[in-house]
Structures are given as structure tokens and as C-alpha cells.
Amino acid sequence: MVVHSQQGALNELFLIKTCKPTNLFTEVPEVDLSHPEAKTLIVNACKEFGFFKIINHDIPMELISNLENEALSFFMQPQSEKEKASLDDPFGYGSKRIGKNGDVGWVEYLLFNTNPDVISPNPLLLLEQNQNVFSSAVNDYTLAVKNLSCEILELMADGLGIEQRNVFSRLIRDEKSDCIFRLNHYPACGELELQAIGGRNLIGFGEHTDPQMISVLRSNNTSGLQICLRDGTWVSIPPDQTSFFINVGDSLQVMTNGSFRSVKHRVLSDTAMSRVSMIYFGGAPLTEKLAPLPSLVSKEEDSLYKEFTWGEYKKAAYKLRLADNRLTPFEKSAGQ
């Protein structure tokens, strides 16, 4: 039985891409939210990288640790127990397979819906684990990072000189906002896997941009996150379990008419330590029309993107592979 189990693991392993280790990036923009120039630092980071780190965020470490501990307790359970949280929709527990278009990675996850217009059961209700404690930890955390994301979005508007300070944050605060929350667990790559892949890194989550407006990421102190710079170079981000990392998403790139850059990123597995990450994805209501803000476009022909609803973009985006450029069909062609 052990031989069959190992062979099955190897067969699954070879479906997952690998890559060579990359250089550590020591120039990650760091923004102290209490700094008087925070709005300027955020805008500069969004334009250059589409990515930055937030410190002095006022979210208690106890709240963060509570959720991480609950997540670890879940992911350390037997596979049969975890699969009780699997649902017949995008939400719930999943392992290795990311979406329905053939993408795979060295990852298992829990995906939670926060949109009241989408009827989906809470996967935690299917578990024997203390569901009330876990659910409470998820709810407390998502509320805190939702407020943080809105604070950051308002600083972005300030930095861009937009008169309506809540032009971005109102979409997240809307009771019908399409926000989701994801817990990812990247198991350590053990000896069997390490030998099979010849010392290269397994890709835990393949390269992609986030389609929503903003992503708020927190992980434990295990490395693995990488971003792609403007010149196409991939660099590794030093982990920091006390801070949050912010990704600009496709929707925000559109609303800023390309001024902000939606960052391409991926996650590699670590050979010795597991990685746990928690990501809050702030999305607009499904019926919200997205287009470059008039105040950021000098004249109509300077608009780079067509108008579309978040629901239309989401539907189109999730039909594509992770690495595809999802915005291409929504770009205006020359003279359009």
C-alpha cells in the first residue's frame, strides 16, 4: 500500500510545474499607515509594482494568530475529514486543482463566500472541528481586513487627488460587494518530492493577477511568494508575519486607466516548512459597472478599457487559465 501511495503522489506531482529559485527582493515598498505621506507612498507603489507592504495596521496579532491556529488545525486533519468541507461549487475545501480549467498546484485551501447574493453553505458547518470557534475567527478576521482594505483604498483616492474619497472603498462597503476569503496551505515539499523534481521548486499557486480590486495578504514566516517586476524578472518576497501585503487587482487597474498596475504573482513551495496564507479579495458588486474614472482620463479617446460589469468580467476571467491575460478582451483597440 505504501508503494501505491508513493506512486500516486509522484503521478500527481508531475502535473505540477516547477521553476528555479529566484533572487530575494529587498526593495518591497513599505507603508506605515500612520505616516503623513502614506497616501503618496501607496500611489507610487501601485504605479511601479502594484504591490506593497503595510505596517502599523492596528489589527491585533491575537486575532491573526487565532485564525492561523484554527486553519492549521483544519489542514492537519486526515484527508477524509477535510474533504467533508468540499462543496459542489467554487467554495469550500479543495486540494491541488485550482479552478476548472486544468490549473494545478502544491496547495490545499478553504474558500469562503462573503457575497449575500450568492447562496452557498458555510463549509465549516460540515466539519467535526469546533465550527463555532473557527467561524468566529474567520468572521472577526475578515471584518478587520475589510476595514483595512477600505482605509487603504481611501488613501489611494487621496493620493490620486480624487475628490470623492470613497470612490473605491464604497464598492467594498456595499452590502452586495462580491468579496471572498481564502485560506491556503502549502505543505512542505518532502524528500520524495524533492528527489523527483531534481531540486527545483514546486509551484504551489501558478502565476496570475487577481481580478478583484484589492487583495490583502497575510502569511506565516515561510517564504514562497514571488512577484513579477516590469522587466519580467521574478523576485522572491521576504516573509513578514506581522505585516500585510497588498496586491492591486485587475479591476483597480481598469478604474485607474492603467495608472495602477495589477501585479502578476505566484507562490512556490518550501522544501522544509509549510506555508499558511490568508487572502481577502475585495470585489465590487456583481452589477457594478467598471470603467476608467472620468477624473483620471483627459478625454474619451484616452480611455484604455471598455465599460463592463464586475459580474461580466468575473465570468470571463474564470473561464481562462491562471496565467492568461484576462483584461485583453476588455481593452479598447486603437481608434475605438
Side-chain angles (χ1 to χ4, degrees):
M1 291 299 291
V2 174
V3 173
H4 287 302
S5 176
Q6 287 184 340
Q7 188 59 50
L10 283 173
N11 290 340
E12 197 171 49
L13 182 70
F14 288 125
L15 295 174
I16 300 173
K17 294 180 180 179
T18 64
C19 69
K20 295 179 180 179
T22 59
N23 294 327
L24 196 66
F25 190 55
T26 58
E27 301 175 31
V28 177
E30 185 174 284
V31 179
D32 182 338
L33 286 183
S34 66
H35 195 284
E37 290 302 314
K39 63 182 181 181
T40 303
L41 296 172
I42 287 175
V43 166
N44 290 342
C46 290
K47 289 181 176 180
E48 179 60 27
F49 301 105
F51 178 85
F52 55 96
K53 182 167 76 171
I54 288 292
I55 62 173
N56 283 343
H57 47 70
D58 291 335
I59 296 181
M61 275 304 299
E62 181 183 4
L63 185 149
I64 297 169
S65 298
N66 285 345
L67 179 55
E68 182 177 324
N69 291 336
E70 288 298 319
L72 280 171
S73 295
F74 170 80
F75 288 122
M76 292 301 106
Q77 294 181 108
Q79 189 65 26
S80 59
E81 185 65 23
K82 290 184 286 189
E83 288 178 352
K84 291 180 181 179
S86 299
L87 301 171
D88 190 22
D89 63 18
F91 303 105
Y93 174 76
S95 176
K96 304 286 193 303
R97 304 198 176 277
I98 303 167
K100 299 180 179 180
N101 302 311
D103 290 298
V104 293
W106 195 250
V107 64
E108 58 180 344
Y109 60 86
L110 274 171
L111 187 63
F112 299 87
N113 164 51
T114 67
N115 180 2
D117 280 357
V118 177
I119 300 174
S120 180
N122 183 346
L124 300 182
L125 299 180
L126 307 175
L127 302 175
E128 293 179 8
Q129 183 177 352
N130 191 332
Q131 54 187 252
N132 291 332
V133 174
F134 200 172
S135 292
S136 178
V138 169
N139 291 337
D140 291 346
Y141 181 87
T142 53
L143 177 60
V145 292
K146 175 181 179 178
N147 290 333
L148 175 63
S149 67
C150 289
E151 180 182 358
I152 293 168
L153 288 168
E154 288 171 0
L155 286 169
M156 289 177 180
D158 290 343
L160 288 169
I162 299 172
E163 186 174 345
Q164 186 183 351
R165 190 169 191 258
N166 71 340
V167 66
F168 302 129
S169 64
R170 67 177 181 82
L171 302 179
I172 307 301
R173 295 191 191 279
D174 192 297
E175 63 180 10
K176 294 185 177 181
S177 64
D178 186 35
C179 301
I180 60 176
F181 178 61
R182 187 179 189 107
L183 288 168
N184 286 338
H185 176 234
Y186 302 92
C189 178
E191 288 298 320
L192 175 69
E193 294 83 7
L194 190 61
Q195 292 173 15
I197 59 179
R200 293 164 66 90
N201 286 108
L202 275 174
I203 292 184
F205 212 108
E207 64 179 75
H208 65 287
T209 59
D210 296 333
Q212 293 86 359
M213 296 177 63
I214 188 173
S215 306
V216 182
L217 163 71
R218 187 268 171 188
S219 71
N220 62 359
N221 250 7
T222 302
S223 62
L225 177 63
Q226 297 187 339
I227 65 169
C228 187
L229 303 180
R230 285 185 177 274
D231 63 3
T233 302
W234 284 95
V235 292
S236 295
I237 304 301
D240 183 349
Q241 64 181 354
T242 65
S243 302
F244 289 93
F245 292 95
I246 309 299
N247 293 346
V248 170
D250 296 344
S251 298
L252 199 55
Q253 177 171 318
V254 169
M255 294 182 75
T256 61
N257 201 34
S259 176
F260 285 5
R261 174 175 173 255
S262 181
V263 63
K264 186 180 291 186
H265 56 287
R266 65 188 181 191
V267 177
L268 306 188
S269 66
D270 189 275
T271 55
M273 297 183 292
S274 66
R275 174 182 167 90
V276 176
S277 61
M278 320 176 213
I279 314 100
Y280 176 84
F281 299 93
L286 293 171
T287 57
E288 182 72 25
K289 292 181 179 179
L290 301 178
L293 297 176
S295 61
L296 301 179
V297 180
S298 57
K299 53 184 182 295
E300 174 59 29
E301 54 266 35
D302 287 339
S303 176
L304 301 178
Y305 302 97
K306 307 170 187 176
E307 184 180 82
F308 53 87
T309 66
W310 162 237
E312 290 169 340
Y313 185 61
K314 181 179 180 180
K315 183 178 180 180
Y318 289 119
K319 289 181 179 179
L320 301 175
R321 299 291 296 269
L322 278 176
D324 291 338
N325 187 338
R326 299 161 174 171
L327 276 175
T328 299
F330 297 91
E331 294 173 354
K332 284 188 174 181
S333 57
Q336 191 172 9

